[in-house]
Amino acid sequence: MIFQNIKVNDLNVFYRESGSADKPVFLLLHGFPSSSHMYRDLMVMLEDKFHVIAPDLIGFGQSEAPSRDSFKYTFENLTDYVDGFIEALKIDKFYMYVFDYGAPIGFRIAMRHPEKILGIVSQNGNVYEEGLGKKWEARAQYWQNPTKELREQYKSAFSFETVKGQYTFGTEPGSVAPDGYCLDIYYANTIDDYAEKQSDLIFDYQTNVKLYPKFQEYLREHQPKLLAIWGQNDPSFIFEGAKAFKRDVPNAKVIGVNSGHFALESCCREIADNILEFFKK
């Protein structure tokens, strides 16, 4: 595995890369509050069959995190930079693994460039209303009435206990190493103005929900080869969201694993085996 940086519209994007360049590209898009580090084990398991590339989104991990004065922290803008990253690396076609925040970004990319998509793995990457857990009811109220007090309240999402809980809730005790959530907390404490930038994205998440019908329209029209593999104990994006894919892509494969939101942390080998089987030549 190698670690590189590339300029996209004058901003530095960090990425991990493994596997031979003559293999099909597999683009891995991480979620909140993580970075490409979440794919450290999966990349090694896929590199014999794929050219695996995992960038850090702008404002996350080792990628540049410009000030809010110079950069608008929205999902559409993050998508523009992923799109620019794909163009900068001259990636013509690719498989795509989307997780959490990576899903609305990845599906925006798929809508823009359906001809580039070879297949999709959605791991707790929701694009259906029925996949939203109970907490999203309160988020929807916040989007309708975005008070300063509620914005401050949602900064609890960046606390150590909340981030740790995203990794460990719904998993077997002792099955999740502390490395992932400790690194996330490190970035939260070292990226300038992190809480405000991430709060902008929490508020902007409503644009993703509004796009769900468009994402579903893309699925119905283009029928991508799709594997929905879900940590089925996830309280945020519940398993109903995984099952809903079959409504629009009847040939999709839906698998539940015994884990929570960050299923890769405890079920990486199982997920990798399913990917290799599903996309085998």
Side-chain angles (χ1 to χ4, degrees), residues 227-241:
L227 171 64
I229 188 161
W230 226 255
Q232 58 189 340
N233 303 325
D234 182 359
S236 183
F237 296 127
I238 60 177
F239 193 46
E240 291 304 309

Side-chain angles (χ1 to χ4, degrees), residues 107-233:
F107 278 97
R108 278 175 167 88
I109 294 290
M111 284 170 44
R112 293 181 187 186
H113 309 289
E115 75 286 353
K116 293 187 177 184
I117 305 302
L118 298 172
I120 298 172
V121 178
S122 182
Q123 187 256 294
N124 297 71
N126 187 60
V127 295
Y128 292 92
E129 289 269 3
E130 55 262 58
L132 297 173
K134 291 289 291 183
K135 80 171 189 180
W136 293 99
E137 294 176 7
R139 292 282 175 94
Q141 293 174 9
Y142 166 56
W143 297 333
Q144 293 297 317
N145 183 30
T147 65
K148 182 178 179 180
E149 290 74 18
L150 284 173
R151 183 179 173 97
E152 289 299 314
Q153 177 182 317
Y154 281 120
K155 289 180 182 177
S156 64
F158 320 134
S159 72
F160 178 82
E161 287 304 320
T162 302
V163 172
K164 180 181 177 181
Q166 282 194 276
Y167 278 77
T168 58
F169 183 88
T171 65
E172 293 295 325
S175 65
V176 175
D179 310 84
Y181 59 79
C182 285
L183 183 61
D184 291 349
I185 291 297
Y186 167 79
Y187 286 133
N189 289 328
T190 55
I191 293 174
D192 185 54
D193 208 20
Y194 179 87
E196 294 302 329
K197 293 168 181 174
Q198 294 297 332
S199 293
D200 288 346
L201 288 173
I202 287 174
F203 182 69
D204 190 64
Y205 200 90
Q206 62 185 294
T207 65
N208 300 327
V209 178
K210 291 174 182 175
L211 278 174
Y212 282 179
K214 291 291 187 182
F215 296 156
Q216 294 157 23
E217 183 180 331
Y218 157 79
L219 291 168
R220 287 193 300 274
E221 180 179 350
H222 295 282
Q223 294 294 304
K225 192 169 176 62
L226 190 141
L227 171 64
I229 188 161
W230 226 255
Q232 58 189 340
N233 303 325

